[in-house]
Amino acid sequence: MFQRELLKGRAIFLTGGGTGLGRSMALRFSELGARLFLVGRREDPLRETCQEILRLGGAAAYVTCDVRDYAAVEAAAERAEQQFGEINVLVNNAAGNFIAPTEKLSANAFNAVVGIVLNGSFHCTQAFAKRWISRKLGGNVLNIVTTYAAANCGSGFVVPSACAKAGVLALTTSLAVEWAKYHIRINAIAPGPFPTEGAWSRLMPSKQFEEHSREKHPMKRFGRPEELANLAAFLLSDMAEYINGECVVIDGGQWLRGAGEFNELTLMPESAWEAMEAARQKKS
Ligand code: HXC
Ligand code: NAP
């Protein structure tokens, strides 16, 4: 369906690009002709993803960077420009999340997630938009949120993430209007459940809950990474030039069946939460 060179000429700064959905998008964008600059905190997955892109004949580079730290984001943006000249696309994909009863959260736990998701997305967006505006270049931003980011939805048991993702959605719609005059386009994707190591290890409390989620899903299946990567490629392409400030849901209709993906955890007994917390304490 896509032309092979759909994203030719694009240099894409992709956060959290070493793992999961970020890695899938990086590989797909590269296949469609884009050059990729990946950031994340751990070097190994970033290196591995870049090596895979290079092996397949694409162009990719990376630098470790914690998006919570604005100075580190600025330094990464500089490095990306040294590598590829102008960066013309930003994908805010990095995230942090876990399930927990909200009354038990420490302030630091809340800040950790909001810092990555909301502050991190703002830091990266600001770093590149400043460049695009001062140099009179257009730009393109894609934010990966979630279905429970919608302001009238939210979800229990992932409250820091719900608050932060709702903020990212507000950033998307606000800046779509404010920065349209600078030819900066900004959109979001709200994925439903896509099994990745990062998400599943932190959000699936048990095999039974996973089975319950699949059974309750209208299509009785979870998402495939390539489905999300193709939607992202479309939104970044010139075919979507007139789409601005939009959030496209890709969840197989899951949230229409019952909004707030983790609200089902109200069914989980207190003893299961206690066992999970004990296991976490033992690990750390
Ligand atoms: C309660 C927790 C916790 C948990 C961490 N904390 N895990 N509290 N329950 N399960 C608390 C810690 O005790 C600490 O507070 C504070 O959070 C910070 O934790 P650290 O481990 O020191 O922070 P850090 O190393 O920065 O790790 C950030 C993280 C971690 C968010 C906690 O999970 C992470 O690195 N995540 C990155 C990847 C990720 O989350 N991927 C999934 C995205 S999926 P104290 O007070 O003790 O210092 C996604 C999908 C949504 O978003 C929809 C799915 C369908
Ligand atoms: P993932 O593999 O855990 O991806 C998260 C990425 O963010 C990791 O590569 C991680 O790398 C990076 N990251 C975390 N904290 C960071 C920080 N402080 N600075 C820089 N990078 C950081 O999980 P995923 O499932 O692919 O999630 C990708 C995106 O999809 C996220 O925005 C998530 O909220 C969204 N999403 C996923 C699902 C799903 O079902 N999988 C559903 C809805 C939305 P490091 O740990 O090395 O930093």
Side-chain angles (χ1 to χ4, degrees):
M1 183 174 165
F2 293 142
Q3 294 161 14
R4 277 202 65 77
E5 298 197 329
L6 185 75
L7 299 179
K8 194 172 157 56
R10 305 286 206 285
I12 303 180
F13 188 97
L14 171 50
T15 69
T19 65
L21 300 178
R23 184 179 190 278
S24 301
M25 283 190 279
L27 287 161
R28 184 66 177 130
F29 297 161
S30 169
E31 207 172 50
L32 294 169
R35 292 158 295 157
L36 273 305
F37 196 89
L38 310 181
V39 299
R41 291 166 303 174
R42 289 165 300 153
E43 182 159 11
D44 285 354
L46 295 170
R47 187 193 312 110
E48 190 279 328
T49 303
C50 282
Q51 281 170 351
E52 182 63 3
I53 291 173
L54 297 175
R55 193 184 68 76
L56 294 168
Y62 71 89
V63 72
T64 57
C65 162
D66 187 328
V67 295
R68 289 174 282 196
D69 175 355
Y70 188 74
V73 168
E74 264 294 330
E78 290 276 326
R79 275 286 300 115
E81 287 183 335
Q82 282 162 14
Q83 184 75 32
F84 292 133
E86 301 294 350
I87 294 291
N88 35 40
V89 176
L90 163 67
V91 180
N92 285 311
N93 166 77
N97 205 352
F98 49 77
I99 48 168
T102 308
E103 69 278 13
K104 301 218 167 118
L105 288 179
S106 69
N108 198 29
F110 186 83
N111 286 341
V113 172
V114 174
I116 300 168
V117 174
L118 181 55
N119 297 17
S121 299
F122 175 74
H123 291 158
C124 296
T125 306
Q126 173 86 331
F128 285 103
K130 278 198 311 205
R131 289 166 163 79
W132 295 334
I133 292 167
S134 71
R135 296 173 197 162
K136 296 194 168 31
L137 299 165
N140 200 335
V141 181
L142 181 63
N143 295 324
I144 308 300
V145 295
T146 63
T147 51
Y148 57 68
N152 60 354
C153 176
S155 174
F157 306 99
V158 285
V159 164
S161 170
C163 295
K165 294 284 192 183
V168 175
L169 205 50
L171 193 75
T172 309
T173 47
S174 307
L175 294 177
V177 175
E178 187 179 337
W179 287 347
K181 65 181 175 206
Y182 301 123
H183 304 288
I184 294 173
R185 203 154 66 77
I186 176 161
N187 290 297
I189 291 179
F194 285 74
T196 63
E197 160 64 25
W200 253 228
S201 63
R202 294 176 175 91
L203 300 167
M204 278 298 170
S206 63
K207 269 275 159 216
Q208 291 101 297
F209 187 76
E210 181 176 355
E211 266 321 299
H212 172 75
S213 307
R214 200 198 317 270
E215 269 310 300
K216 212 187 152 206
H217 193 288
M219 293 174 77
K220 301 220 182 295
R221 74 163 175 91
F222 298 131
R224 301 180 183 120
E226 62 273 19
E227 294 173 321
L228 183 129
N230 280 329
L231 172 61
F234 166 72
L235 287 173
L236 294 179
S237 78
D238 291 340
M239 289 195 285
E241 232 350 272
Y242 203 50
I243 300 180
N244 188 27
E246 185 54 67
C247 177
V248 182
V249 173
I250 177 165
D251 74 339
Q254 187 207 40
W255 90 296
L256 296 171
R257 175 91 190 258
E261 235 170 321
F262 295 92
N263 285 332
E264 288 287 302
L265 288 174
T266 43
L267 300 172
M268 200 156 93
E270 191 56 34
S271 56
W273 286 112
E274 281 163 10
M276 265 176 56
E277 181 56 15
R280 188 175 78 85
Q281 297 288 350
K282 206 166 144 196
K283 252 201 278 175
S284 63

